[in-house]
Amino acid sequence: MHRDRVAPILIALLIAAVATPAAAASEALEALRDYYAQVETLQGEFEQTTRDDRGEVVEQSAGTFAIDRPDRFRWSYAEPFPQEIVADGDRLWVYDKALAQVTVRPQGQALGSAPAQLLAGDYAGLEAAFAIEAEADFVRLTPREEGQAFVEARLRFDGERPTALEIDDALGQTTRVALSALQVNEPVDEQRLRFEPPEGVDVYRGRVGQGRP
């Protein structure tokens, strides 16, 4: 190849190498905005894996979820330890079936790390609570205030559908939540978005930050 043709080709390759990550980051941010603009309800299944700071698996769980934006959701852990996290728009309930114990606190106090809490709000609220930064194929959320339940979260999308969340906590652990069998903008059974403590369980007024990530 003639030498005077090499330089333009190299320049084009360099531009492509720079432009591709930038375009992907722009798409990731657009997907986040599309989610909050277009998705009113989201239901599906999840698999959750937590690794310690050495990368070793310390917990695995799975279950189902339902989100009715902007402020109601149910996150149900089916295995290995059944637990229900329910936000009814006023209060946040955490029901540990094995312990026969319910913790409840005002929902407005709960800027927690539960995946549903990140996906159930609105974009304005997300911007107010987090610094938002788009990377090559995900969106990074960093709490604006110190002392929160996690130090960073990353959201991945396929179009306006969230497919995975990764959450880093203050202990150096990373929790990855993979979402599947998604139903978008389908009606959610109202019973899933309400919670009444079962008879015989202990009910406690909890602290901010209690409950599983």
Side-chain angles (χ1 to χ4, degrees):
M1 183 180 295
H2 198 277
R3 186 168 54 188
D4 60 3
R5 295 181 58 192
V6 173
I9 293 175
L10 289 175
I11 291 172
L13 291 174
L14 288 171
I15 291 174
V18 172
T20 299
S26 176
E27 290 176 2
L29 185 58
E30 182 178 355
L32 177 71
R33 290 172 174 161
D34 285 346
Y35 170 78
Y36 285 102
Q38 300 176 18
V39 176
E40 297 180 358
T41 68
L42 184 69
Q43 303 172 75
E45 302 171 2
F46 69 88
E47 293 185 357
Q48 181 170 314
T49 302
T50 300
R51 297 178 182 273
D52 62 18
D53 55 1
R54 299 185 301 275
E56 297 180 0
V57 175
V58 296
E59 183 179 3
Q60 290 182 299
S61 54
T64 61
F65 71 93
I67 296 172
D68 187 358
R69 297 186 48 247
D71 57 7
R72 300 192 299 167
F73 64 81
R74 188 180 200 106
W75 201 265
S76 302
Y77 290 87
E79 55 183 43
F81 306 111
Q83 187 184 72
E84 301 285 342
I85 302 176
V86 181
D88 61 14
D90 181 35
R91 291 165 293 182
L92 183 70
W93 305 84
V94 180
Y95 173 34
D96 191 313
K97 295 183 179 180
L99 297 178
Q101 177 178 307
V102 173
T103 301
V104 58
R105 64 183 184 269
Q107 190 172 328
Q109 296 178 1
L111 177 60
S113 57
Q117 289 174 267
L118 298 176
L119 294 173
D122 56 37
Y123 190 76
L126 197 75
E127 281 190 310
F130 302 99
I132 302 173
E133 181 182 3
E135 298 290 345
D137 59 350
F138 63 89
V139 176
R140 185 194 314 276
L141 305 178
T142 306
R144 295 188 184 278
E145 296 184 5
E146 297 182 356
Q148 301 300 334
F150 66 97
V151 296
E152 180 180 298
R154 296 171 295 279
L155 280 68
R156 301 178 187 275
F157 291 86
D158 179 7
E160 81 282 0
R161 296 176 175 231
T163 58
L165 301 91
E166 297 167 357
I167 299 168
D168 298 340
D169 67 23
L171 300 177
Q173 296 184 139
T174 297
T175 297
R176 188 177 196 277
V177 184
L179 308 179
S180 61
L182 296 180
Q183 301 176 51
V184 177
N185 291 337
E186 295 292 332
V188 178
D189 185 349
E190 282 293 321
Q191 293 301 316
R192 297 185 71 183
L193 303 172
R194 299 173 183 170
F195 184 82
E196 289 291 337
E199 291 186 10
V201 305
D202 295 319
V203 179
Y204 300 95
R205 186 170 297 279
R207 301 185 306 274
V208 173
Q210 281 189 286
R212 278 161 105 159

